[in-house]
Amino acid sequence: KNQVEQSPQSLIILEGKNCTLQCNYTVSPFSNLRWYKQDTGRGPVSLTIMTFSENTKSNGRYTATLDADTKQSSLHITASQLSDSASYICVVSAKTNAGKSTFGDGTTLTVKP
Amino acid sequence: DTEVTQTPKHLVMGMTNKKSLKCEQHMGHRAMYWYKQKAKKPPELMFVYSYEKLSINESVPSRFSPECPNSSLLNLHLHALQPEDSALYLCASSQDGQGDGYTFGSGTRLTVV
């Protein structure tokens, strides 16, 4: 069964600090992994998308890594800002069963001043 | 700003009402999706349209009826809903529905009274 597990479930950090969110998956055969940021009551916004051959991708202060061998990904946020407070969702797609991506439960990040 | 537009942003309806949610995209994407999201949970897939044909129905109750008039538009017709159907309804689109990255709309917050 395809699964995506994210950790931690929630995280509180001080403004300006860095943090790393984790995503482990068992989706197979792997197609791509995406990280989304979702503000409360809003739709998810794409941060990064990585395929099998990519192991790092950056989007401003967000850097995602992918280890396809261990089936792990991380999202590193540098110099956090209050606006980074949101839910971060890891989504993994398989080459088969197209259209039915597997969502993680998300990590809720709170950045405090 | 998102390139998937959903209307209305908020909707309150009675259990005997009939209403419709609308979604529009002009990115030339050929796959469109409806997701339902409850508070503090990841989005749950409802329907997938690929090249204007319904390709996935995740055993959604018949009180939800999707419609894809053309490749840019996706509707969700609602009738005889229950209070437990209250949720954030998200529309998304992707290039061709083969496990590629989604662009989400901002969602419609639906409350059934």
Side-chain angles (χ1 to χ4, degrees):
Chain A
K1 179 182 177 182
N2 290 334
Q3 287 187 311
V4 174
E5 293 184 357
Q6 292 188 241
S7 63
Q9 185 176 12
S10 62
L11 182 62
I12 300 173
I13 62 173
L14 292 176
E15 186 178 12
K17 298 296 186 181
N18 304 335
C19 68
T20 300
L21 314 180
Q22 300 290 342
C23 173
N24 297 339
Y25 63 91
T26 59
V27 177
S28 181
F30 177 83
S31 175
N32 64 70
L33 184 147
R34 294 108 68 185
W35 283 96
Y36 289 89
K37 176 188 178 188
Q38 185 174 23
D39 293 315
T40 301
R42 306 280 294 177
V45 174
S46 179
L47 296 176
T48 62
I49 176 170
M50 289 187 291
T51 57
F52 186 87
S53 59
E54 298 172 299
N55 53 28
T56 301
K57 184 164 281 190
S58 293
N59 178 357
R61 294 180 296 102
Y62 302 100
T63 299
T65 65
L66 174 65
D67 186 332
D69 292 330
T70 61
K71 299 186 177 181
Q72 295 179 327
S73 176
S74 65
L75 180 69
H76 186 73
I77 304 175
T78 304
S80 61
Q81 300 176 359
L82 298 179
S83 59
D84 292 331
S85 295
S87 178
Y88 291 83
I89 305 173
C90 176
V91 182
V92 185
S93 292
K95 291 181 180 179
T96 56
N97 212 11
K100 295 180 70 171
S101 298
T102 305
F103 285 66
D105 284 346
T107 292
T108 300
L109 174 65
T110 302
V111 180
K112 293 195 169 183
Chain B
D1 288 344
T2 182
E3 296 179 75
V4 175
T5 304
Q6 289 188 242
T7 57
K9 293 190 183 303
H10 301 275
L11 178 63
V12 179
M13 60 184 292
M15 289 188 283
T16 59
N17 291 158
K18 287 185 181 181
K19 296 287 184 183
S20 296
L21 308 185
K22 297 185 182 300
C23 176
E24 187 169 6
Q25 58 90 13
H26 295 288
M27 295 178 284
H29 288 174
R30 302 312 301 268
M32 297 185 77
Y33 311 76
W34 280 115
Y35 280 86
K36 173 184 178 180
Q37 186 176 26
K38 302 286 271 186
K40 301 187 186 301
K41 295 290 187 181
E44 297 176 8
L45 183 64
M46 301 175 71
F47 303 103
V48 181
Y49 273 83
S50 181
Y51 292 85
E52 299 166 50
K53 295 189 186 303
L54 183 64
S55 59
I56 295 176
N57 177 340
E58 289 289 89
S59 302
V60 179
S62 60
R63 58 186 183 268
F64 296 91
S65 175
E67 178 196 19
C68 189
N70 59 56
S71 60
S72 300
L73 295 174
L74 184 66
N75 299 321
L76 185 62
H77 302 299
L78 314 173
H79 174 53
L81 295 193
Q82 303 297 311
E84 59 264 30
D85 296 322
S86 298
L88 181 67
Y89 287 84
L90 294 164
C91 174
S93 70
S94 67
Q95 194 69 37
D96 57 14
Q98 298 301 309
D100 49 343
Y102 303 150
T103 299
F104 283 92
S106 296
T108 294
R109 170 66 63 187
L110 174 67
T111 302
V112 181
V113 298

